[in-house]
Amino acid sequence: MYLRRYFRRIIQSVPYKPPPLPIKLLPTADLVEEEHTPHYKPQHFYPVRLYEILNNRYQIVTKIGWGTSSTVWLARDLHQWRWLPPQYVAIKVNASNYASQESAEKELRITEHITKASPQHPGRNFVAILLDSFRVASPGGTHICMVFDALCEPLWMLKRRFEGNIIPLDVLKPVSKLILEGLRYLHTECHVIHTEKQDLKSDNILLSLRNPSILNSVAQDEMNNPSPRKQLDGRDIYLSRNYWGLSPDELGRSVITDFGLAVHGDGPPNSHPIQPEGYRAPEVCLGGDWSYSADIWNLGVLLWDLFYGHGPFDIPPDSCGSGSTDEAHLAQIISLLGPPPLDLLSRGGETYRYFDAEGQFKTPELIGKKDLVSMAKEIDGDDEMPLFVDLISRTLRWRPEDRTTAEDLLSHPWLT
């Protein structure tokens, strides 16, 4: 055992040493990144420091992101043999408070399930796969750490690369197909519904790197130009280094990430509230059961947002009046799809809030008139535009059972 550890130590990668360079310190009174989280408490976040080594294997080289209950770091895998190019991974370090800990445990279990469900399935390449996991302790508790391949920019950043903040159809087509491949894998092989409060949207779909050696450049840039940070007692809070100046041809496939609030689709019916404004499926607004088709609704909203610049059901300013957001959202759905089927209304426990006994919407003054074809013509006169609109129309349907599945959408003429 001793000889094996000794042998590994002399042939594995040598840790970087922190560079002796001046560091830009941020004012301690200013909120930085995760400090903007509602009800933020610093003791719940593990105090990661650059160049520390986690789990006797991963050396932190730069911060690349943060969320309401985690921070994300680029790390160098020291188990890579020293004569080979450096190997980098992304590590999600979860917070330790009860709610975050419970969510992290659930995310770990469901991500392990997704990773192992069907290793040979082609769609597995388009979802985030767990490489490793471990726990670290701090005075605030225990933190679950999850290791993934390092990805680069999310789809909302890809939008910014194009004029008008919209993605042309010839670029959107391959992106759409790969998202659908990932969804098909989740639905048919893993029996997992991605949609929950962190639903299928442009924040949660990231692009891979065609050339992973770019990550070494990111690490070297951190050494040569240390990230600004705020220094507090017992911890530093760093600015993320998440813009890497990549050219379009350095971007790879799209990958569905973040399964912290995903659910199994083959269990008891789901009816609890999910999805943020603009993405909420009608059955969710009405308090009915929802399943895989909620992901399909989200997909339609997402693709339209990437193509058009905003979602098909975005609520105009000041249109809510004194009513609820769901009321205004349902009005937007009616504006596009027409009145809902009565049988759908009968399934919802919250239908009475928005519709009378005859199925009439209680606030008709909120209803407008719009259609996807006219909206699409404002953006693109491409010959393929009608096919794209047809695909979207198959995802945005009142009845969940009327929406086309991910598997069938992959055979749609726009994608073939």
Side-chain angles (χ1 to χ4, degrees):
M1 181 66 72
Y2 171 79
L3 288 176
R4 185 164 60 185
R5 287 200 303 266
Y6 174 76
F7 181 70
R8 172 172 287 278
R9 190 164 60 249
I10 64 172
I11 64 175
Q12 70 182 16
S13 299
V14 177
Y16 292 138
K17 293 182 179 179
L21 295 174
I23 295 169
K24 179 182 178 181
L25 296 180
L26 303 173
T28 56
D30 292 351
L31 296 181
V32 177
E33 302 214 338
E34 60 265 26
E35 291 183 304
H36 289 279
T37 300
H39 315 298
Y40 170 79
K41 292 185 177 180
Q43 66 268 26
H44 292 159
F45 285 78
Y46 181 77
V48 180
R49 291 187 182 276
L50 293 188
Y51 305 107
E52 76 169 292
I53 298 173
L54 300 181
N55 203 38
N56 295 315
R57 177 171 181 176
Y58 304 106
Q59 185 179 31
I60 301 296
V61 295
T62 194
K63 183 181 180 184
I64 55 176
W66 62 279
T68 57
S69 58
S70 64
T71 52
V72 184
W73 305 80
L74 185 67
R76 184 169 169 237
D77 186 353
L78 298 180
H79 281 192
Q80 176 81 320
W81 304 133
R82 65 175 63 185
W83 57 82
L84 295 176
Q87 183 78 36
Y88 293 92
V89 296
I91 301 181
K92 182 177 182 179
V93 182
N94 287 282
S96 64
N97 55 307
Y98 175 77
S100 297
Q101 183 81 357
E102 189 176 39
S103 294
E105 292 280 4
K106 181 182 176 184
E107 180 179 12
L108 177 60
R109 290 193 301 270
I110 206 160
T111 308
E112 287 175 337
H113 167 69
I114 290 167
T115 299
K116 298 173 182 177
S118 185
Q120 304 307 314
H121 192 278
R124 186 176 181 269
N125 293 310
F126 310 108
V127 299
I129 297 302
L130 188 69
L131 303 179
D132 191 11
S133 65
F134 56 93
R135 287 167 168 77
V136 292
S138 76
T142 301
H143 307 261
I144 294 175
C145 301
M146 303 172 67
V147 183
F148 300 94
D149 285 324
L151 303 171
C152 51
E153 59 192 59
L155 289 186
W156 65 263
M157 287 182 68
L158 178 67
K159 279 176 60 176
R160 291 184 175 181
R161 292 176 172 269
F162 298 94
E163 184 178 354
N165 203 33
I166 55 177
I167 300 180
L169 286 180
D170 61 335
V171 177
L172 187 57
K173 180 186 291 190
V175 171
S176 304
K177 189 166 186 176
L178 300 187
I179 295 171
L180 275 167
E181 290 282 7
L183 266 186
R184 175 171 66 170
Y185 175 73
L186 292 176
H187 291 177
T188 64
E189 303 298 314
C190 307
H191 306 289
V192 163
I193 307 168
H194 185 279
T195 298
E196 246 267 12
K197 295 190 187 299
Q198 297 289 337
D199 63 75
L200 187 72
K201 53 193 178 74
S202 59
D203 303 69
N204 298 329
I205 300 176
L206 278 66
L207 300 176
S208 67
L209 291 162
R210 290 185 184 273
N211 182 3
S213 67
I214 290 167
L215 298 172
N216 195 49
S217 300
V218 175
Q220 293 300 318
D221 191 37
E222 175 65 50
M223 296 190 74
N224 297 330
N225 303 282
S227 295
R229 67 205 64 177
K230 184 166 77 170
Q231 292 186 331
L232 302 171
D233 290 340
R235 70 178 58 237
D236 290 353
I237 301 180
Y238 302 85
L239 290 182
S240 296
R241 186 180 295 272
N242 51 18
Y243 178 73
W244 301 342
L246 304 177
S247 63
D249 59 1
E250 292 175 309
L251 303 175
R253 68 191 187 281
S254 50
V255 178
I256 301 172
T257 70
D258 199 347
F259 303 108
L261 294 170
V263 297
H264 289 282
D266 52 0
N270 299 291
S271 59
H272 55 278
I274 59 169
Q275 304 171 306
E277 298 174 13
Y279 281 77
R280 203 161 293 144
E283 63 269 27
V284 177
C285 297
L286 299 174
D289 292 344
W290 50 266
S291 189
Y292 300 106
S293 54
D295 276 346
I296 300 301
W297 178 275
N298 269 161
L299 175 70
V301 176
L302 167 66
L303 296 183
W304 188 262
D305 175 81
L306 297 174
F307 162 75
Y308 191 69
H310 57 80
F313 308 116
D314 285 3
I315 300 171
D318 304 321
S319 68
C320 287
S322 59
S324 70
T325 301
D326 276 344
E327 180 181 64
H329 181 62
L330 284 166
Q332 292 297 309
I333 298 176
I334 296 170
S335 300
L336 185 65
L337 303 184
L342 292 178
D343 64 294
L344 176 70
L345 297 181
S346 68
R347 306 177 206 172
E350 302 294 319
T351 297
Y352 70 94
R353 295 180 181 273
Y354 314 110
F355 296 88
D356 63 22
E358 284 73 42
Q360 298 299 309
F361 193 56
K362 291 183 177 181
T363 49
E365 65 274 10
L366 296 179
I367 300 173
K369 184 65 178 176
K370 53 186 176 181
D371 69 272
L372 294 177
V373 173
S374 298
M375 294 164 70
K377 286 180 178 177
E378 301 171 13
I379 304 296
D380 198 325
D382 189 280
D383 291 342
E384 291 198 351
M385 184 270 290
L387 286 176
F388 171 71
V389 171
D390 182 74
L391 181 140
I392 298 298
S393 70
R394 293 172 185 270
T395 67
L396 302 178
R397 294 184 174 175
W398 279 107
R399 294 187 187 93
E401 64 269 23
D402 290 343
R403 296 171 208 151
T404 307
T405 65
E407 185 154 22
D408 288 342
L409 284 171
L410 281 165
S411 301
H412 189 275
W414 184 59
L415 295 174
T416 56

